Amino acid sequence: FHRYLCEANVHSIIWWAGALPCGNNEGLINISKNRTDYETGKRYETYGNFTRYIPVGSTRISAEYNPDLGYMVSAYKKGNDFTFVAINTNNTVQTIDLAIDNNNLGTSPIIGYLTDATHRWEAQEAIMPVGNTYVITLPAKSVVTFTGKIQ
């Protein structure tokens, strides 16, 4: 999803197979062959890190990162609201600085929503800025969406 939005510069993502009666992870929701039971997978949950927290009408804004370090960051803004989606592809925890080119953060916290092997959109403790920077910790193999406001 990150690469579609940030490298291919697509406007939006519509997953072609919302629900399928198979277990090959093509659909966001896997329906049993009897069509009465279903399960969601990590693709569904990862998609949710983008669709649940980036407000409709947001604009993607510049986010600089080094993909050689094993993580990716994308950023979105709507009015005074901002959203960062941070993806850690490493097998180890990563600590990164999220610096915002704006001196109007004041004491605005950000809240993270973690998806990894054992969590689905789990709210994390608020993180307060130090100056214009948030120090965040990304668990191994995770997607964390952070939301906040600029004052």
Side-chain angles (χ1 to χ4, degrees):
F1 301 116
H2 171 86
R3 289 193 170 126
Y4 284 136
L5 293 169
C6 299
E7 294 174 19
N9 290 314
V10 299
H11 179 272
S12 60
I13 298 171
I14 300 170
W15 197 258
W16 71 275
L20 289 176
C22 61
N24 63 7
N25 204 26
E26 281 187 42
L28 295 175
I29 300 169
N30 295 313
I31 302 171
S32 65
K33 293 196 186 283
N34 66 16
R35 296 187 185 259
T36 58
D37 299 317
Y38 71 94
E39 63 181 30
T40 59
K42 285 298 168 186
R43 184 178 310 216
Y44 171 86
E45 295 172 9
T46 300
Y47 194 52
N49 275 84
F50 290 88
T51 60
R52 293 172 61 93
Y53 304 105
I54 301 172
V56 171
S58 293
T59 301
R60 187 170 58 85
I61 56 178
S62 177
E64 295 180 17
Y65 63 94
N66 182 347
D68 294 337
L69 297 177
Y71 67 88
M72 298 174 277
V73 177
S74 59
Y76 310 86
K77 185 175 185 298
K78 181 177 183 183
N80 289 339
D81 296 326
F82 63 90
T83 307
F84 291 98
V85 180
I87 303 165
N88 182 7
T89 61
N90 292 297
N91 290 320
T92 57
V93 171
Q94 296 291 307
T95 300
I96 64 173
D97 292 340
L98 283 177
I100 298 179
D101 291 337
N102 185 310
N103 58 4
N104 294 324
L105 286 180
T107 57
S108 297
I110 58 174
I111 302 292
Y113 301 91
L114 169 66
T115 298
D116 64 9
T118 59
H119 301 91
R120 179 169 95 172
W121 315 312
E122 183 174 300
Q124 305 296 290
E125 287 187 33
I127 301 171
M128 300 303 291
V130 176
N132 69 337
T133 303
Y134 295 96
V135 178
I136 63 169
T137 301
L138 302 174
K141 299 286 186 185
S142 67
V143 178
V144 186
T145 301
F146 297 93
T147 60
K149 289 190 178 294
I150 294 174
Q151 297 179 348

